[in-house]
Every structure is written in C-alpha cells, then in structure tokens.
C-alpha cells in the first residue's frame, strides 16, 4: 500500500474515548489521562460530533480548583472553533493538508450519516508515512463515552 493511495479510514483511530457536551473539563482531563490520549471528541448522545477537545484546550481553560472545573461544560471550550472533518475515503494528503491549514493535531472522520467513525491524529499520519499503520478499511468502529462520572467532594471544615 502506498502513501499516495492511503485513505483516512485506513489510518484513523477507530477505538475512541469520547465525552458528552455537558461533561466537565475535569472529567475530560481524567478521561484523557486514563486513556493516554491527547484528543477527545465531544459527541452528543447520537454520536454526532460537537467538536474535539485537546489537552491544551483543557489546560488553557484551567483556573481555580476541581470544584470550579466541575461547573463548566466542555461544550463551552469547543464552541465556535473550527473542527476539520473528512469522509472515510479522503486521501491522506487531504487529511494532512487540513491539519496544517487548521493548525490542529486531529481531524474527525465522519460517515455519510454525519456520525463520528474515527479520528486521524498527527501520530496516525506519521505512522502511515513510516509504513506502520495501514488498517483494513472494514475494521469495526468502537466509540465509547466515559465510564464514570467525577463529582467534587465538598470540603469539610473541622470545628
């Protein structure tokens, strides 16, 4: 398989950890840390893309403590931001050009139904260029949301 003919579906990450728009930045950070990912798609209950949250986005927003971070919704961090997306059959060169033009580290892959199918990251592109990641296009897509919910523990004052 040559890089010139490689498509987004052949290099995209299919097993995704996602977060819902109403979750907190604290939850998003915890999910990223536990999953070892740098990008977290924000999707609604029907797996429709709202945006992509990066570690830098959460870090830039971080102020105050966990309680303050629990009161904000991640939707506010991705609102109004450009979120590049491609079809599964988009050439890898198009994906790389979108990343460069949008100055982002991930491009979403959406099916014809506008449902999130995968995510192509800069690591995926580099692995493809190195000839190490071509995957069969018919691999199953596995999009998972958070499996737990974080709530701040109220501080206890002692008499």
């Amino acid at each position: 398989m040559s890089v010139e003919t490689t498509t987004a579906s052949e290099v995209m990450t299919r097993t995704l950890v996602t977060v819902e728009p109403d979750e907190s930045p604290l939850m998003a950070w915890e999910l990223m840390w536990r999953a070892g990912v740098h990008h977290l798609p924000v999707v609604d209950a029907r797996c429709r893309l709202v945006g992509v949250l990066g570690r830098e986005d959460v870090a830039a927003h971080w102020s105050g403590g966990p309680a303050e971070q629990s009161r904000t919704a991640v939707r506010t961090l991705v609102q109004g931001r450009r979120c590049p997306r491609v079809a599964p059959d988009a050439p890898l060169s198009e994906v790389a050009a979108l990343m460069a033009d949008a100055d982002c580290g991930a491009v979403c892959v959406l099916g014809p139904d506008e449902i999130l199918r995968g995510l192509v990251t800069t690591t995926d592109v580099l692995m493809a260029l190195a000839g190490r990641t071509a995957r069969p296009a018919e691999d199953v897509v596995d999009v998972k949301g958070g499996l737990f919910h974080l709530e701040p523990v109220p501080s206890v004052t002692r008499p």
Side-chain angles (χ1 to χ4, degrees):
M1 181 173 297
S2 93
V3 174
E4 291 82 22
T5 60
T6 300
T7 64
S9 66
E10 294 171 311
V11 300
M12 70 184 184
T13 300
R14 288 176 164 72
T15 302
L16 300 175
V17 178
T18 64
V19 67
E20 291 184 5
D22 293 328
E23 284 294 352
S24 70
L26 181 62
M27 169 61 105
W29 185 262
E30 181 72 14
L31 287 171
M32 286 183 207
W33 180 78
R34 288 185 182 262
V37 297
H38 296 171
H39 302 93
L40 199 60
V42 180
V43 296
D44 65 18
R46 295 173 42 207
C47 282
R48 297 209 186 266
L49 184 66
V50 175
V52 175
L53 192 63
R55 283 186 179 178
E56 299 81 15
D57 301 321
V58 177
H61 173 267
W62 203 269
S63 63
E68 184 177 327
Q69 293 305 312
S70 295
R71 289 190 291 268
T72 305
V74 295
R75 118 176 345 109
T76 62
L77 285 100
V78 297
Q79 253 175 351
R81 289 195 12 227
R82 188 170 173 212
C83 182
R85 50 194 78 194
V86 295
D89 61 351
L92 187 59
S93 59
E94 179 184 328
V95 175
L98 274 173
M99 285 181 175
D101 292 345
D103 191 27
C104 67
V107 172
C108 296
V109 180
L110 303 181
D113 52 5
E114 295 296 309
I115 300 292
L116 180 64
R117 300 290 183 215
L119 192 67
V120 179
T121 66
T122 51
T123 300
D124 295 325
V125 172
L126 290 173
M127 293 296 282
L129 288 173
R132 298 187 182 167
T133 55
R135 299 176 185 117
E138 59 276 349
D139 275 0
V140 175
V141 174
D142 191 12
V143 177
K144 296 183 191 266
L147 302 176
F148 54 92
H149 188 77
L150 299 176
E151 292 290 336
V153 176
S155 59
V156 176
T157 55
R158 296 184 181 188

